[in-house]
Amino acid sequence: MNENVIQCINLSKDYGSGPVLEQLNLTIGSGRIIGLLGPNGTGKTTLIKILAGLLQPTSGQVLVDGHVPGPESKAVVSYLPDKMYFADWMKAKDLLDLFEDFYADFDRAKAEQMCASLGIVPTQRMKTMSKGTKEKMQLVLVMSRKAKLYLLDEPIAGVDPAARDFIMNTILTNYSQDGTVLISTHLIGDIERVLDEVLFLKDTKVVLHDTVDNIREQQGKSVDALFREMFRMNPIEGGNQDAQ
Amino acid sequence: MEWQLSEDRPIFQQLYEQLCRRILTGVYPPGSRMPSVRDVASEAGVNPNTMQRALQQLDSVGLTESTRTSGRTVTTDEALMRQIREELAQGAVQQFYAETSALGYTREEAKQLL
């Protein structure tokens, strides 16, 4: 067993127009729920895609459960992308079949149960589902795997507040004891109480990596408030990047 | 009883206080077994690790006791429960004075209000 689920050493990524991530060093242990926070365009999705093995780092090293991202790591990583990738002719049931075929750790009974409680009809086609229902469906599939690392890229952006609570509870009760969940989101207030740790990304770097309770203890304010303060922009001048 | 969490203070502390209150008011009766960490965490909608920390604090003040075999049980020590109840009541009184003094009342005037 590897203690560190995620390990990044001097990780950099450059798409050609300047660095997106620069010399990132990061270790994340198992059994935790971590919020990946930062303003738009600070590399959250890039980091998640590198961990999922969809992007190659420009330099530096990444280890997921002790492996360089590849077949071994993908077998233990459950990834929820920020975009839908399912064909719209597929029914909810087809997707369950697909995931059952594809992943050895997929728990079909659990997925069907979650579908039922979220009101997803197995015979409904993707193209007739609302944006929120599609997102729920995707989350059901991803959380029904018994993975070591769940990478959730903006999982609750399109769902209503009541379903959001349900989804956060789903994540809480379904991640396996030794599994780590990395969630990128802008809805900090909604998920703050389920997080162990938060990671703030800013200008290609990790500027803060601490537990939620430490932040509240030291700053006397919620992570949501701290975020707003750290990344405050001036609307008249069109946003000041150096604003502290 | 609903779990209420405010924005400005560490979550585990607020959970700890509310767990205390539940024990003192008999929601978790003396000598009974506490529900599991996962169960209370999911009931409150919080991270299990945070709940674990709050429960450990109950252990450390003696309101609950953890044994390896039978889980976590609520204390039957009535003196201790009385003492902790008084501490919490004192906190509420202090808060009352703080809020009335923010409105310009002196301590004496505030007492008159009661």
Side-chain angles (χ1 to χ4, degrees):
Chain A
M1 257 292 289
N2 202 297
E3 268 295 293
N4 293 322
V5 178
I6 298 174
Q7 200 168 8
C8 299
I9 304 153
N10 294 326
L11 173 71
S12 297
K13 178 68 187 177
D14 191 333
Y15 289 112
S17 52
V20 179
L21 297 172
E22 210 174 8
Q23 298 286 318
L24 200 81
N25 286 295
L26 183 66
T27 18
I28 291 174
S30 61
R32 266 173 260 186
I33 305 182
I34 294 137
L36 181 60
L37 316 174
N40 303 117
T42 43
K44 299 188 296 294
T45 296
T46 300
L47 177 61
I48 285 184
K49 282 188 173 168
I50 289 172
L51 294 170
L54 297 178
L55 286 174
Q56 288 298 316
T58 308
S59 64
Q61 205 189 10
V62 188
L63 294 176
V64 174
D65 194 36
H67 302 286
V68 174
E72 296 92 349
S73 81
K74 286 183 188 182
V76 295
V77 171
S78 192
Y79 168 53
L80 180 106
D82 56 346
K83 292 191 196 75
M84 282 301 296
Y85 62 95
F86 301 127
D88 61 4
W89 56 264
M90 288 182 109
K91 293 174 182 166
K93 199 177 132 294
D94 298 332
L95 287 168
L96 295 178
D97 291 339
L98 179 74
F99 263 65
E100 199 174 21
D101 259 4
F102 233 79
Y103 299 106
D105 56 2
F106 184 70
D107 183 342
R108 180 162 190 144
K110 196 173 178 181
E112 280 173 349
Q113 208 184 338
M114 277 200 260
C115 277
S117 29
L118 280 165
I120 300 172
V121 186
T123 51
Q124 199 178 356
R125 286 182 199 281
M126 292 306 279
K127 68 173 153 201
T128 64
M129 287 183 189
S130 71
K131 183 171 186 265
T133 309
K134 277 185 203 161
E135 284 193 7
K136 288 179 199 167
M137 183 66 215
Q138 215 175 352
L139 196 86
V140 164
L141 294 168
V142 166
M143 290 314 293
S144 298
R145 288 183 56 197
K146 199 167 167 48
K148 280 193 182 152
L149 176 63
Y150 299 89
L151 299 170
L152 311 179
D153 200 350
E154 303 236 16
I156 52 172
V159 302
D160 63 82
R164 220 173 269 165
D165 283 348
F166 181 86
I167 284 172
M168 292 323 292
N169 246 320
T170 308
I171 293 174
L172 271 179
T173 45
N174 286 298
Y175 83 103
S176 38
Q177 304 267 7
D178 53 344
T180 287
V181 187
L182 186 67
I183 308 176
S184 100
T185 186
H186 296 299
L187 299 162
I188 309 169
D190 280 333
I191 66 159
E192 204 172 322
R193 56 163 72 180
V194 310
L195 299 177
D196 285 291
E197 296 172 14
V198 290
L199 271 173
F200 274 30
L201 281 181
K202 188 192 181 190
D203 300 335
T204 74
K205 299 233 179 349
V206 173
V207 288
L208 180 72
H209 181 189
D210 209 343
T211 65
V212 171
D213 275 347
N214 274 346
I215 290 173
R216 285 180 172 224
E217 218 161 353
Q218 284 158 17
Q219 311 273 346
K221 55 171 93 81
S222 66
V223 175
D224 189 49
L226 179 67
F227 184 93
R228 285 167 205 260
E229 197 180 289
M230 261 173 105
F231 300 109
R232 180 166 299 143
M233 292 190 216
N234 188 330
I236 299 161
E237 290 165 18
N240 178 4
Q241 293 234 313
D242 299 320
Q244 279 289 334
Chain B
M1 213 195 288
E2 279 287 308
W3 295 90
Q4 280 168 354
L5 299 173
S6 74
E7 292 287 298
D8 50 340
R9 292 185 311 126
I11 297 167
F12 88 93
Q13 251 173 34
Q14 302 182 46
L15 293 174
Y16 162 73
E17 285 159 14
Q18 290 175 44
L19 286 166
C20 273
R21 224 168 292 155
R22 285 172 180 223
I23 288 174
L24 296 176
T25 54
V27 177
Y28 305 132
S32 71
R33 218 177 126 176
M34 290 289 286
S36 75
V37 178
R38 286 217 146 213
D39 286 349
V40 235
S42 131
E43 193 195 310
V46 299
N47 189 299
N49 295 327
T50 313
M51 187 54 86
Q52 172 72 5
R53 205 172 153 195
L55 288 165
Q56 274 165 355
Q57 198 164 345
L58 287 180
D59 286 345
S60 69
V61 298
L63 276 179
T64 55
E65 203 177 325
S66 262
T67 52
R68 209 180 312 163
T69 46
S70 61
R72 187 176 262 113
T73 50
V74 180
T75 184
T76 48
D77 183 346
E78 283 179 21
L80 178 75
M81 287 172 63
R82 262 201 303 278
Q83 181 202 330
I84 287 174
R85 179 182 287 132
E86 196 154 305
E87 278 168 25
L88 287 179
Q90 278 301 331
V93 169
Q94 290 311 318
Q95 203 183 339
F96 168 73
Y97 282 136
E99 299 216 355
T100 45
S101 113
L103 291 169
Y105 285 89
T106 65
R107 278 198 165 223
E108 290 310 313
E109 283 166 347
K111 272 183 202 162
Q112 295 290 313
L113 287 172
L114 289 171

